[in-house]
Amino acid sequence: MTKDINARHTEKMRKIKAARDKMMQTKTDEKGLIIVHTGAGKGKSSSGFGMIMRCIAHGMPCAVVQFIKGNWVTGERKFLTERFADECRFFVSGEGFTWETQDRERDIAAAQNGWKIAKEQILDPEIQFVLLDEINIALRYDYLDIDEVVDFLLHQKPAMTHVCLTGRNAKPELIEAADLVTEMNLVKHPFRDGIKAQNGVEM
Amino acid sequence: MTKDINARHTEKMRKIKAARDKMMQTKTDEKGLIIVHTGAGKGKSSSGFGMIMRCIAHGMPCAVVQFIKGNWVTGERKFLTERFADECRFFVSGEGFTWETQDRERDIAAAQNGWKIAKEQILDPEIQFVLLDEINIALRYDYLDIDEVVDFLLHQKPAMTHVCLTGRNAKPELIEAADLVTEMNLVKHPFRDGIKAQNGVEM
């Protein structure tokens, strides 16, 4: 039984790798990357946000789809929606999508809606960079199907479009499919000393 | 001999910890943090840049001191200097400070000049957040004295000012002194597949 699961897992990973290798054969010096920021440390979203700023600086139209609210509510969201609405599209997949609600049906609907928007943005030929912020949380809880997401990224994403997916506990299938994976690890955190989240640093 | 070195190291770390603990006793719910982004993965600078954007969004005056050129030359630097010169001060510690030059004297002078500017910005009561980008490289090669830097951060930094120090191979003394440390680890990188650095992602 476990052996079967392991064998299926190996075969699945082999297929993902083969699809990725096939795609890589067509590579030129530049290509649209599948980028993953994962790990329990800080910097997953803010580094993705930094990439969005680089895109704006280079005149590359871009989009953010935010899968859970919280992280982006204050600083970045305000910054992008108030100052860079023309350069960067900003979407939130359902205001109610938080872990406090414990309303699984609503959370699934919000995640699915976010993924629908994400696909539209990725397929839009005008858009060159799409940040799917905290999508790994939705994948982890199976609110989105990992196979569908990986299949779309490998087979339907336009060749030159970059997609960055953030959130802890990235699924192995996504890491296998990705071009660039960074794990942010927590070495030390001030919360343990009773310091609360602060503007500029966390928000 | 080795035992002596180890004993000195332990004693040094104990002193840094004691100084940090003493500082923490005065903490309120908010305090200026010493933040370190290290590790061989991506996101150290771009996450620092994301924090700068958060500061701008919140109306917190901030400054960047860039210790090596390269990382920030294109996207972020252009973005900040052209669009946010009023909100964020931007300094480069010597254009010639690169590893290609192999001009050690010039590199040391550039690093020392950068640290002088960094101290001025940190001490400036108007500035609430200072990003010392790639300073860990200068510290690693002893172009700056780690003891002096740590001592300044622990004893002279204004209580509410945040300082973020980036770069791989952060020194243990700095990690000991810091409040918030994140290690960015490389899991997978497209350069190994012959893909070059691209706008929006790396630049």
Side-chain angles (χ1 to χ4, degrees):
Chain A
M1 189 73 175
T2 313
K3 207 173 164 188
D4 278 0
I5 292 172
N6 288 342
R8 274 204 305 275
H9 179 80
T10 305
E11 176 59 15
K12 187 174 172 182
M13 290 299 169
R14 197 195 58 73
K15 278 188 186 158
I16 293 173
K17 187 177 182 308
R20 189 176 168 279
D21 289 348
K22 195 179 169 189
M23 185 187 67
M24 289 300 291
Q25 284 171 11
T26 65
K27 75 176 160 59
T28 55
D29 282 345
E30 294 195 331
K31 73 183 278 278
L33 301 178
I34 302 170
I35 302 162
V36 175
H37 295 173
T38 192
K42 281 182 56 64
K44 298 184 290 293
S45 292
S46 57
S47 172
F49 180 59
M51 288 180 176
I52 288 285
M53 293 297 109
R54 285 176 177 158
C55 291
I56 293 175
H58 288 296
M60 296 163 62
C62 50
V64 176
V65 184
Q66 180 187 344
F67 281 81
I68 60 167
K69 75 170 182 179
N71 265 359
W72 290 71
V73 167
T74 49
E76 296 93 331
R77 185 171 165 182
K78 186 172 178 315
F79 188 75
L80 288 176
T81 53
E82 289 178 7
R83 305 211 198 188
F84 295 100
D86 289 343
E87 290 95 335
C88 179
R89 301 175 189 168
F90 199 101
F91 304 92
V92 181
S93 71
E95 287 294 328
F97 191 56
T98 73
W99 311 115
E100 288 86 38
T101 63
Q102 299 293 329
D103 184 338
R104 189 175 150 83
E105 290 305 313
R106 193 168 73 171
D107 289 351
I108 291 173
Q112 295 283 346
N113 181 50
W115 176 237
K116 183 170 164 285
I117 295 167
K119 286 189 286 188
E120 288 164 2
Q121 296 305 311
I122 293 168
L123 292 174
D124 188 327
E126 279 198 15
I127 297 291
Q128 297 179 42
F129 189 105
V130 181
L131 175 60
L132 305 181
D133 191 48
E134 299 288 11
I135 190 174
N136 287 337
I137 311 287
L139 288 165
R140 179 189 186 188
Y141 288 93
D142 296 320
Y143 291 178
L144 296 177
D145 181 33
I146 182 66
D147 295 334
E148 189 198 328
V149 170
V150 164
D151 186 73
F152 179 86
L153 292 173
L154 288 176
H155 300 294
Q156 293 190 58
K157 179 183 79 62
M160 294 307 294
T161 303
H162 303 293
V163 180
C164 178
L165 306 94
T166 82
R168 57 174 75 191
N169 300 110
K171 291 236 175 179
E173 293 92 332
L174 181 62
I175 289 174
E176 187 61 40
D179 302 292
L180 174 54
V181 180
T182 308
E183 189 177 73
M184 278 73 170
N185 292 318
L186 187 72
V187 178
K188 209 173 190 183
H189 201 291
F191 291 171
R192 67 175 185 188
D193 295 317
I195 303 298
K196 69 180 184 185
Q198 293 173 89
N199 281 351
V201 181
E202 274 95 9
M203 299 185 289
Chain B
M1 190 73 175
T2 314
K3 206 174 163 186
D4 278 1
I5 292 171
N6 287 343
R8 274 205 304 276
H9 179 81
T10 305
E11 177 58 14
K12 187 174 173 183
M13 289 300 169
R14 196 196 58 75
K15 278 186 186 159
I16 293 173
K17 188 178 181 306
R20 189 176 169 280
D21 289 349
K22 195 178 170 191
M23 185 187 68
M24 290 300 291
Q25 283 172 12
T26 65
K27 75 178 160 57
T28 55
D29 283 346
E30 294 195 331
K31 73 183 277 275
L33 301 178
I34 302 171
I35 303 163
V36 175
H37 295 172
T38 193
K42 281 180 57 62
K44 299 184 288 294
S45 293
S46 57
S47 172
F49 181 59
M51 287 180 178
I52 288 286
M53 293 299 109
R54 285 176 178 159
C55 290
I56 293 174
H58 288 295
M60 295 164 62
C62 51
V64 176
V65 184
Q66 180 187 345
F67 280 80
I68 59 168
K69 76 170 181 179
N71 265 358
W72 289 71
V73 167
T74 49
E76 295 93 330
R77 186 170 164 183
K78 187 172 177 313
F79 187 78
L80 288 176
T81 53
E82 289 178 7
R83 305 212 200 188
F84 295 101
D86 290 343
E87 290 94 336
C88 179
R89 302 175 190 168
F90 199 101
F91 304 92
V92 181
S93 70
E95 287 295 327
F97 191 57
T98 72
W99 310 115
E100 290 86 37
T101 63
Q102 298 294 329
D103 183 340
R104 189 175 151 83
E105 290 305 311
R106 193 167 72 170
D107 289 351
I108 290 174
Q112 294 284 345
N113 181 51
W115 175 236
K116 184 170 163 284
I117 295 167
K119 285 189 287 188
E120 288 164 3
Q121 296 305 310
I122 293 167
L123 291 174
D124 188 327
E126 278 198 15
I127 297 292
Q128 297 179 41
F129 189 106
V130 181
L131 175 59
L132 306 181
D133 192 47
E134 299 287 11
I135 190 173
N136 286 337
I137 311 287
L139 288 165
R140 179 190 184 186
Y141 288 92
D142 296 319
Y143 291 178
L144 297 178
D145 180 34
I146 183 66
D147 295 335
E148 189 198 327
V149 170
V150 164
D151 187 72
F152 179 86
L153 292 173
L154 288 175
H155 300 294
Q156 294 190 57
K157 180 183 79 60
M160 294 308 294
T161 304
H162 303 292
V163 180
C164 179
L165 306 94
T166 80
R168 58 176 72 189
N169 301 110
K171 292 237 175 180
E173 293 92 331
L174 181 62
I175 289 173
E176 186 62 38
D179 302 292
L180 173 55
V181 180
T182 308
E183 190 177 70
M184 279 73 171
N185 292 317
L186 187 71
V187 178
K188 209 174 192 184
H189 201 289
F191 291 172
R192 66 173 187 189
D193 295 317
I195 303 297
K196 68 179 184 185
Q198 294 173 87
N199 282 352
V201 181
E202 274 95 9
M203 301 185 289

